[in-house]
């Protein structure tokens, strides 16, 4: 493999053929939820100048790309995933000039921006939907409208946020489809005019110097030819990884002129086979995919709104399946624990509130970052930020959490039991303001500003960036090392992965191999000491990273302390 001159391309000689692909294997992406990152205007909402203000921090961490969740004009029913205009900035977040400054300043630091394209649906406030409502046939064809009587939705499908997936419009005598909130109307990708509009939006942002894109729930864009009731489930089997989805993506990439740029598709309830299809470079679709199966191992019988401790064996099996499967099919995974839709990993799989909070956060980072794929760090993860631990439902903001709090009670659950479930699974756990320092509001906004839009986690006095920057042993500095290692060792970026000791109930271990280099990653997922026996003699390996100072490795036996992670290397 020869690395090309151009930084973003890798030139691979394969059976005499030269092919180009985006060089993303040694990159790390940092996700920013602008609303909760840094507020410079003092209105209690984070903004784009806030991101610019923190670029040196991000550069210091060592990340290559920033994925920013939507900051486009929006009624904010779903925190910006209800887009009312795709080519503008919501004044709450700043101006187009602010964005241009951010792009320029990031560029100076070798950091590229990735924008979040919500192309499955628009807000019902979007001009297209408003014109559809006003009776313009052209725009009615942009959405999925079905004739029908007011008491009979076209199908029995359920919205992902609860309740029916269809809404009736008496003025038109029609129903429209919304797989998410009632204010998020699904676009009709069967219509070539819609596809052309969306490709033009990509060209617009590329012209602004944007380096990549994240595509929101993009495997839901292709709906079936015939809409029918689902007697087995909520309807998702009819539109997930739908019949034309690969063709639409190929067309979008070509027409949007984004081939070779870094792209990631968020894939809801997807399959391995489809994700190979989405990411195998031969298909010219996306660079990588987010899949979520590993983040459902604490859903009881698949239900997010029922509690269960994480099933560690299921987690390991899913990692193995997706690592080996994507590798065999020449696909590429996005690697992640956290995002703005997920509870914090350290609260979920680690030791939040316990003596091993720090070690467990570092272990979780190790498990993900050393795998084959591109790691994503969600703001605050590099500090070991925890779940919100809000005490009352009034502190929650998320539409999905509030809907389900009600749905659980409608099913007969007590308010306190419903709250307990929301506390564990709410998306707001990942949305509390970034903890920069120990001043009022955690330095997210100034002390005399308006109240932050969502409460600051009370533990900011203990968990914050300012402290961790001073402390060589902090989670921040450990993440810095994880990123640096990926750039230093080709085996992490390019190596094959082989799972080790798959049946071990508490240790997650794997081996990486690339052109004679070997790496072994051994993670204890629990708070109890455990001895791990390797099939390989470890004498020639050196430890390149660990979350403890002293390790206990003798020939092929590794004594692991609570939540210990060790990364061993041999050339
Ligand atoms: C994705 C986003 C989520 C949003 C949903 C609907 O899952 O990550 O925040 O609510 O799509 O756009």
């Amino acid at each position: 493999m020869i690395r090309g001159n151009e930084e973003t391309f890798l030139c691979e000689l394969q059976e005499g053929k030269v092919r180009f692909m985006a060089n993303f294997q040694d990159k790390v992406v940092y996700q920013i939820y602008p609303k909760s990152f840094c507020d410079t205007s003092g209105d209690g909402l984070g903004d784009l100048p806030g991101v610019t203000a923190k670029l040196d921090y991000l550069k210091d961490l060592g990340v290559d790309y920033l994925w920013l969740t939507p900051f486009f004009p929006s009624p904010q029913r779903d925190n910006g995933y209800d887009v009312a205009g795709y080519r503008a900035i919501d004044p709450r977040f700043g101006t187009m000039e602010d964005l241009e400054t951010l792009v320029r300043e990031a560029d100076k630091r070798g950091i590229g921006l990735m924008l979040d394209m919500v192309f499955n649906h628009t807000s019902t406030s979007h001009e297209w939907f408003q014109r559809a409502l006003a009776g313009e046939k052209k725009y009615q064809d942009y959405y999925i409208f079905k004739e029908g009587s007011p008491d009979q939705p076209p199908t029995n499908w359920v919205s992902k946020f609860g309740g029916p997936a269809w809404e009736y419009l008496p003025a038109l005598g029609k129903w429209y489809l919304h797989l998410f909130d009632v204010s998020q109307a699904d676009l009709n990708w069967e219509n070539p005019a819609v596809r052309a509009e969306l490709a033009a939006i990509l060209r617009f942002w590329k012209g602004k110097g944007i380096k990549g894109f994240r595509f929101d729930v993009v495997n839901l864009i292709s709906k079936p030819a015939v809409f029918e009731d689902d007697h087995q489930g909520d309807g998702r089997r009819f539109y997930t990884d739908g019949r034309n989805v690969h063709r639409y993506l190929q067309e979008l990439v070509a027409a949007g002129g984004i081939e070779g740029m870094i792209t990631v598709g968020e894939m809801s309830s997807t399959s391995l086979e489809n994700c190979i299809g989405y990411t195998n470079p031969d298909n010219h679709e996306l660079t990588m995919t987010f899949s979520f199966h590993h983040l459902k191992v604490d859903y009881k019988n698949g239900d997010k709104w029922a509690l269960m401790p994480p099933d560690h064996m299921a987690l390991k099996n899913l990692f193995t399946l997706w690592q080996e499967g994507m590798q065999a099919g020449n696909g590429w995974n996005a690697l992640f624990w956290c995002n703005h839709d997920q509870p914090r990993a350290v609260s979920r799989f680690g030791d939040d509130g316990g003596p091993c909070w720090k070690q467990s956060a570092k272990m979780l980072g190790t498990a993900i970052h050393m795998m084959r794929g591109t790691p994503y760090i969600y703001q605050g993860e590099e500090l070991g930020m925890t779940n919100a631990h809000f005490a009352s439902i009034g502190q929650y903001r998320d539409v999905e959490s509030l809907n389900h709090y009600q749905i659980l009670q409608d099913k007969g659950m007590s308010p306190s039991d419903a709250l307990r479930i929301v506390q564990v699974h709410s998306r707001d756990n990942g949305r509390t303001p970034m903890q920069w320092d120990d001043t009022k509001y955690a330095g997210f906004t100034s002390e005399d500003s308006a109240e932050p839009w969502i409460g600051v986690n009370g533990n900011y006095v203990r968990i914050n960036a300012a402290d961790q920057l001073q402390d060589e042993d902090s989670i921040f500095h450990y993440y810095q090392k994880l990123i640096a290692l990926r750039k230093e060792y080709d085996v992490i970026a390019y190596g094959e992965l082989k799972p080790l000791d798959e049946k071990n109930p508490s240790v997650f271990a794997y081996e990486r191999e690339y052109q004679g280099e070997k790496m072994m990653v051994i993670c204890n997922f629990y708070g109890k000491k455990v001895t791990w026996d390797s099939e390989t003699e470890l004498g020639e390996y050196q430890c390149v990273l660990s979350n403890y100072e002293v390790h206990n490795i003798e020939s092929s036996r590794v004594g692991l302390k609570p939540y210990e992670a060790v990364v061993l290397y041999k050339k």
Side-chain angles (χ1 to χ4, degrees):
M1 200 174 274
I2 310 161
R3 275 177 234 195
N5 297 338
E6 254 193 274
E7 216 229 313
T8 47
F9 286 92
L10 195 75
C11 164
E12 194 182 15
L13 282 169
Q14 226 186 25
E15 293 156 17
K17 271 192 299 182
V18 177
R19 74 181 182 153
F20 290 92
M21 51 189 193
N23 177 11
F24 45 80
Q25 288 88 339
D26 65 350
K27 303 290 186 271
V28 176
V29 183
Y30 187 93
Q31 183 194 348
I32 292 182
Y33 197 67
K35 202 169 178 174
S36 301
F37 191 62
C38 175
D39 172 26
T40 58
S41 65
D43 62 356
L45 297 172
D47 43 46
L48 294 176
V51 180
T52 307
K54 298 295 183 185
L55 283 172
D56 286 334
Y57 168 86
L58 298 164
K59 171 78 188 156
D60 190 23
L61 182 60
V63 298
D64 303 281
Y65 291 99
L66 304 180
W67 149 31
L68 270 69
T69 60
F71 45 72
F72 313 109
S74 158
Q76 298 283 319
R77 283 271 311 210
D78 185 22
N79 280 350
Y81 283 92
D82 43 335
V83 177
Y86 287 102
R87 298 171 195 233
I89 314 289
D90 192 314
R92 274 179 268 228
F93 291 109
T95 62
M96 189 60 88
E97 260 197 312
D98 291 331
L99 181 76
E100 286 161 357
T101 306
L102 172 57
V103 170
R104 218 175 28 249
E105 289 299 316
D107 203 45
K108 278 189 201 160
R109 293 163 177 82
I111 297 175
L113 248 60
M114 295 168 70
L115 296 198
D116 205 327
M117 296 288 113
V118 189
F119 283 174
N120 176 67
H121 45 264
T122 74
S123 162
T124 48
S125 307
H126 193 288
E127 188 195 339
W128 300 338
F129 195 83
Q130 289 299 312
R131 292 177 76 165
L133 275 187
E136 284 188 51
K137 169 87 175 67
K138 171 178 171 189
Y139 290 103
Q140 286 181 0
D141 288 344
Y142 274 37
Y143 295 91
I144 300 173
F145 280 103
K146 297 279 175 207
E147 306 280 343
S149 75
D151 41 272
Q152 185 59 49
T155 68
N156 64 353
W157 300 359
V158 180
S159 148
K160 303 220 179 237
F161 290 165
W166 296 93
E167 180 73 5
Y168 188 69
L169 291 170
L172 298 180
K174 291 180 201 293
W175 295 84
Y176 69 87
L177 178 69
H178 62 90
L179 295 182
F180 293 89
D181 186 55
V182 60
S183 69
Q184 293 166 300
D186 281 58
L187 283 164
N188 175 18
W189 276 69
E190 304 293 301
N191 181 350
V194 168
R195 305 202 298 270
E197 295 263 19
L198 301 175
I201 293 163
L202 295 181
R203 293 197 299 274
F204 172 82
W205 287 114
K206 190 180 168 189
K208 293 267 176 211
I210 296 304
K211 298 289 192 301
F213 297 97
R214 180 252 189 196
F215 292 100
D216 189 60
V217 290
V218 75
N219 65 328
L220 310 184
I221 57 177
S222 175
K223 310 297 193 282
V226 177
F227 285 72
E228 54 187 312
D229 279 347
D230 188 352
H231 299 296
Q232 294 169 23
D234 61 6
R236 70 183 65 193
R237 67 197 174 101
F238 294 128
Y239 57 73
T240 302
D241 301 315
R243 63 205 165 113
N244 292 321
V245 65
H246 293 282
R247 177 160 71 77
Y248 291 158
L249 280 174
Q250 287 157 11
E251 186 186 309
L252 184 73
V253 166
I258 60 167
E259 174 103 57
M261 292 172 82
I262 184 167
T263 54
V264 54
E266 184 203 25
M267 304 303 177
S268 167
S269 306
T270 190
S271 69
L272 174 60
E273 190 194 1
N274 273 292
C275 284
I276 293 171
Y278 295 128
T279 61
N280 183 312
D282 293 341
N283 293 351
H284 305 275
E285 296 180 32
L286 303 173
T287 8
M288 60 191 115
T289 46
F290 288 118
S291 64
F292 293 90
H293 301 281
H294 68 292
L295 294 175
K296 296 183 181 174
V297 297
D298 54 357
Y299 291 7
K300 197 171 180 183
N301 302 320
D303 181 1
K304 173 169 176 176
W305 304 99
L307 298 180
M308 178 181 108
D311 178 341
H312 183 63
M313 286 316 287
L315 180 73
K316 279 178 54 152
N317 291 340
L318 283 160
F319 278 147
T320 299
L321 180 77
W322 281 80
Q323 283 286 308
E324 291 192 317
M326 290 292 258
Q327 177 166 287
N330 198 20
W332 196 255
N333 286 300
L335 307 169
F336 72 107
W337 287 120
C338 298
N339 68 27
H340 64 290
D341 294 330
Q342 298 293 330
R344 293 285 182 176
V346 71
S347 303
R348 206 168 176 181
F349 303 104
D351 197 29
D352 174 6
C356 297
W357 158 75
K358 191 198 276 190
Q359 281 84 0
S360 65
K362 292 178 178 180
M363 181 280 291
L364 291 168
T366 315
I368 285 282
H369 278 248
M370 297 296 110
M371 283 202 254
R372 178 182 177 277
T374 298
Y376 283 66
I377 301 168
Y378 178 61
Q379 64 183 47
E381 180 185 338
E382 77 281 15
L383 306 174
M385 273 178 64
T386 69
N387 277 354
H389 304 301
F390 288 151
S392 88
I393 194 68
Q395 292 172 282
Y396 287 89
R397 302 285 175 264
D398 173 32
V399 57
E400 185 201 38
S401 309
L402 298 174
N403 285 352
H404 281 277
Y405 178 67
Q406 194 48 53
I407 291 169
L408 290 170
Q409 290 178 73
D410 293 347
K411 287 183 186 157
M413 194 176 275
S414 71
S416 59
D417 285 350
L419 178 62
R420 220 161 52 82
I421 296 179
V422 169
Q423 283 167 332
V424 175
H425 283 303
S426 172
R427 305 194 296 179
D428 282 339
N429 283 315
R431 298 178 180 184
T432 60
M434 180 74 176
Q435 291 165 209
W436 293 107
D437 59 35
D438 64 1
T439 61
K440 191 178 168 196
Y441 302 142
F444 159 70
T445 187
S446 56
E447 303 203 359
D448 54 359
S449 99
E451 285 265 315
W453 70 279
I454 188 168
V456 174
N457 191 316
N459 61 22
Y460 73 93
V461 187
R462 247 180 333 110
I463 303 177
N464 63 66
D467 275 2
Q468 295 202 20
L469 287 168
Q470 302 299 318
D471 171 8
E472 267 312 306
D473 184 44
S474 65
I475 300 169
F476 177 90
H477 284 115
Y478 191 87
Y479 266 74
Q480 208 178 34
K481 286 183 201 138
L482 286 171
I483 299 169
L485 276 188
R486 176 166 284 264
K487 299 180 186 309
E488 189 179 340
Y489 293 96
D490 280 355
V491 63
I492 302 173
Y494 308 107
E496 296 272 295
L497 181 142
K498 191 173 109 200
L500 299 173
D501 198 5
E502 287 168 74
K503 301 235 152 36
N504 192 308
S506 53
V507 176
F508 175 55
Y510 52 86
E511 186 179 62
R512 307 288 315 272
E513 179 160 13
Y514 181 69
Q515 296 184 345
E517 286 180 80
K518 279 196 172 187
M519 194 159 256
M520 217 178 260
V521 182
I522 307 153
C523 299
N524 178 6
F525 262 70
Y526 288 93
K528 282 201 189 115
K529 286 192 208 162
V530 56
T531 305
W532 188 74
D533 287 310
S534 165
E535 284 182 5
T536 319
E537 166 62 39
L538 299 171
E540 286 176 38
Y541 282 80
Q542 82 191 83
C543 179
V544 291
L545 187 69
S546 167
N547 54 354
Y548 282 89
E549 255 177 51
V550 183
H551 346 278
N552 175 2
I553 304 173
E554 253 173 59
S555 71
S556 62
R557 179 156 275 208
V558 186
L560 295 163
K561 292 179 268 303
Y563 297 101
E564 180 163 354
V566 285
V567 180
L568 306 176
Y569 174 77
K570 177 179 105 161
K571 199 166 169 76

